[in-house]
Amino acid sequence: MASGANRVDLDGRPIKPMTICMIGAGGFIGSHLCEKLMTETPHKVLALDVYNDKIKHLLEPDSVEWSGRIQFHRINIKHDSRLEGLIKMADLTINLAAICTPADYNTRPLDTIYSNFIDALPVVKYCSENNKRLIHFSTCEVYGKTIGSFLPKDHPLRDDPSFYVLKEDISPCIFGSIEKQRWSYACAKQLIERLVYAEGAENGLEFTIVRPFNWIGPRMDFIPGIDGPSEGVPRVLACFSNNLLRREPLKLVDGGESQRTFIYIKDAIEAVLLMIENPERANGHIFNVGNPNNEVTVRQLAEMMTEVYAKVSGEVAIESPTVDVSSKEFYGEGYDDSDKRIPDMTIINRQLGWDPKTSLWDLLESTLTYQHRTYAEAVKKATSKPVAS
């Protein structure tokens, strides 16, 4: 049960209930953050999104204990005059809205740039003009390529952490050429970060920027044709989940050599709650939120997911569980990628005392158990429909 009694921040001060305007509340991250805020805090949420499927369990029925603390507003922030009024009503605005699917960066570069930069401009403007605090969600992709990726493959410095571990206040943001439209997302996200930072420096905007490193868990992305459009390419873990559910080979783009880290959504949400409730420690900072202990190549991820799925489903893996495909074949012309994305955790640990806890195996087991159940329910529902005579 959520309670305001005896809740204190990291410096021992009582935490006062606040009203939060959450843009993109109906998505993967938003749904878990709303859940956390409703069940463990006294805060109110103005939940803004186009869809509310992932938070319906929080909105219905009216008898739930938090029914008066969450309001859903069906809004597309591109063209809705209500946005400024809702930001004015809140103490804090959290902007989660984005196009963040790699396949779209190539095929929909204009939508990607508009969604992640142009559409975010009014949010920053209204927060600054009305002296409202902003927590803006960016991406680890703003780092682009690592310095080490430009060294020869056999160069000893490629193994030096200073050439690939990504630090908020030191690491450069290195992107590919303009023809590589895959970087449209990262560029748009970096530019809105610079705008937020400039508003803080020149106009006193209180802000925190979050750079997520592959947050994983139930309700993430979509399974094509089940809880999302029939066509489309979600991010790597959802792509692999889709292949496993349909008993298809997992597609390894360019051999699956890229290295990534993955963090459980519930660990990440703990970090966000600390940012929300400790403004004196979080304001003016950019935070990496990831788990460097959960580092694997994409090929290793595929192998581990195949093993975990066999456990949770009771199904034997198919004879050839993976297949190599080129990035051009999978994503289209103009795709490019970074070799590694390993977060440095010094700043968030120092400011908020936060460290992730969940192992890669455990987060995969939780996620795949949920997806296997969701898929089975969808298939059962589809096959039980009466056939028209």
Side-chain angles (χ1 to χ4, degrees), residues 250-280:
L250 280 61
K251 295 177 179 178
L252 300 178
V253 176
D254 295 336
E257 294 182 0
S258 296
Q259 291 173 264
R260 296 289 184 267
T261 61
F262 297 89
I263 181 173
Y264 191 41
I265 182 65
K266 294 188 184 300
D267 288 351
I269 293 300
E270 289 283 354
V272 178
L273 185 60
L274 286 169
M275 296 175 206
I276 291 170
E277 297 188 330
N278 293 274
E280 289 83 2

Side-chain angles (χ1 to χ4, degrees), residues 87 122-134 196 198-200 202-206:
I87 288 175
V123 177
V124 181
K125 177 175 178 284
Y126 296 150
C127 286
S128 185
E129 289 177 350
N130 293 287
N131 296 314
K132 299 295 183 179
R133 184 178 169 220
L134 171 66
V196 170
E199 282 287 353
E202 291 194 26
N203 296 322
L205 172 67
E206 293 187 355

Side-chain angles (χ1 to χ4, degrees), residues 81-212:
S81 59
R82 294 174 291 170
L83 179 61
E84 183 174 14
L86 289 164
I87 288 175
K88 283 182 176 180
M89 289 169 60
D91 303 296
L92 163 69
T93 293
I94 300 176
N95 189 9
L96 292 156
I99 287 180
C100 53
T101 306
D104 290 333
Y105 309 160
N106 264 13
T107 57
R108 299 169 57 202
L110 285 177
D111 284 344
T112 298
I113 293 167
Y114 271 80
S115 173
N116 292 294
F117 178 64
I118 303 297
D119 295 348
L121 290 175
V123 177
V124 181
K125 177 175 178 284
Y126 296 150
C127 286
S128 185
E129 289 177 350
N130 293 287
N131 296 314
K132 299 295 183 179
R133 184 178 169 220
L134 171 66
I135 295 180
H136 179 80
F137 272 69
S138 185
T139 171
C140 62
E141 293 219 7
V142 297
Y143 291 109
K145 297 170 178 279
T146 65
I147 299 172
S149 68
F150 293 92
L151 298 171
K153 285 195 173 183
D154 58 351
H155 199 289
L157 287 178
R158 284 183 74 101
D159 295 323
D160 183 339
S162 64
F163 282 79
Y164 64 82
V165 173
L166 302 170
K167 300 183 178 183
E168 302 96 323
D169 55 347
I170 295 175
S171 298
C173 303
I174 307 171
F175 302 143
S177 64
I178 298 300
E179 288 78 8
K180 300 293 186 182
Q181 295 204 87
R182 183 256 187 279
W183 298 109
S184 58
Y185 173 68
C187 286
K189 281 292 196 179
Q190 186 199 139
L191 190 53
I192 199 70
E193 274 199 30
R194 291 189 181 278
L195 179 75
V196 170
Y197 198 90
E199 282 287 353
E202 291 194 26
N203 296 322
L205 172 67
E206 293 187 355
F207 71 88
T208 302
I209 292 171
V210 184
R211 290 179 179 168

Side-chain angles (χ1 to χ4, degrees), residues 312-350:
V312 302
S313 68
E315 300 173 7
V316 178
I318 62 176
E319 188 174 339
S320 300
T322 62
V323 60
D324 287 359
V325 297
S326 69
S327 55
K328 182 178 179 180
E329 178 186 352
F330 193 79
Y331 289 117
E333 195 72 48
Y335 189 77
D336 197 10
D337 208 352
S338 56
D339 57 333
K340 285 189 178 188
R341 289 200 202 114
I342 315 299
D344 179 85
M345 308 303 290
T346 303
I347 293 178
I348 194 167
N349 188 266
R350 182 188 70 217

